[in-house]
Amino acid sequence: CGFIARFEPGKAYTVTLRKGLESIDGLELAEDLSRHLVFPDLSPAIALSGEGFYLPSHADPTIPIRTRNATELTVQLQRLYANNVVSFVREGADWYGTRSTTTALPERKIGVKARWNEWVETPVDLPSVLGAPPRGTYCIRASIKERPYRNVSAVLQATDLGITEDYLLRRPGEA
């Protein structure tokens, strides 16, 4: 026999096991046993809703960024050159960050309307970050004030053209 409890992060509880509670071995608790338990807040975190974003020009120019236990979000965009998009996708934002990029656009700090210990979604208005409606391919990077060293990144494609990605498992020499 066991029990299930739904403890919430950031709260304290007193748990009491009553005298006579029987163990799995048939032994009984000789006296009441109480313990004070504290469940800490969840760690601050940041997440994107995917590995990339496709934004048609007629769509709302915002992207959602999810945070937990954060008060401020920092967003930065870098234009990706067409000849480097494949390398960026293959190698990742950390590899690309110091190579062959235009000057990174200024960072934008955005306040987060946080509900403590819950994920919240903050819409990021891209024209306010870019200074104009987005067109082209960008690396979007985001972090939170509470964990500035933990960046998330994704590809943002703002265009009217469709994009198809196809992964093929090929043996060496096969076309």
Side-chain angles (χ1 to χ4, degrees):
C1 180
F3 67 93
I4 297 174
R6 297 191 189 277
F7 298 110
E8 294 183 35
K11 294 193 175 182
Y13 298 88
T14 299
V15 176
T16 301
L17 304 177
R18 298 286 179 207
K19 176 183 174 177
L21 179 67
E22 192 172 308
S23 74
I24 202 166
D25 297 326
L27 301 172
E28 289 188 6
L29 193 58
E31 57 187 47
D32 286 354
L33 175 67
S34 291
R35 293 290 185 260
H36 185 72
L37 306 175
V38 177
F39 290 83
D41 287 323
L42 297 173
S43 298
I46 184 170
L48 296 171
S49 61
E51 293 179 18
F53 299 92
Y54 172 72
L55 186 66
S57 63
H58 64 277
D60 179 23
T62 61
I63 60 167
I65 298 182
R66 297 178 64 223
T67 58
R68 181 183 64 212
N69 294 353
T71 58
E72 187 178 77
L73 178 63
T74 300
V75 178
Q76 184 178 45
L77 287 139
Q78 285 181 287
R79 181 175 285 282
L80 298 178
Y81 293 123
N83 61 330
N84 289 337
V85 172
V86 172
S87 295
F88 175 85
V89 171
R90 184 177 41 229
E91 303 295 334
D94 291 336
W95 173 86
Y96 191 82
T98 58
R99 294 175 173 82
S100 305
T101 61
T102 59
T103 302
L105 299 167
E107 292 181 345
R108 175 94 197 276
K109 297 193 183 300
I110 301 167
V112 174
K113 295 178 182 171
R115 292 185 305 272
W116 216 244
N117 293 314
E118 293 181 34
W119 284 100
V120 296
E121 198 168 84
T122 301
V124 175
D125 178 61
L126 295 173
S128 71
V129 176
L130 291 170
R135 295 288 176 264
T137 307
Y138 299 87
C139 167
I140 182 165
R141 294 176 190 262
S143 63
I144 53 176
K145 183 169 117 176
E146 291 75 8
R147 295 179 83 182
Y149 51 87
R150 170 71 172 101
N151 290 313
V152 293
S153 61
V155 174
L156 166 69
Q157 179 65 48
T159 184
D160 285 330
L161 300 175
I163 299 175
T164 302
E165 184 176 347
D166 186 16
Y167 286 99
L168 297 175
L169 298 176
R170 298 180 184 162
R171 293 188 185 128
E174 287 185 350

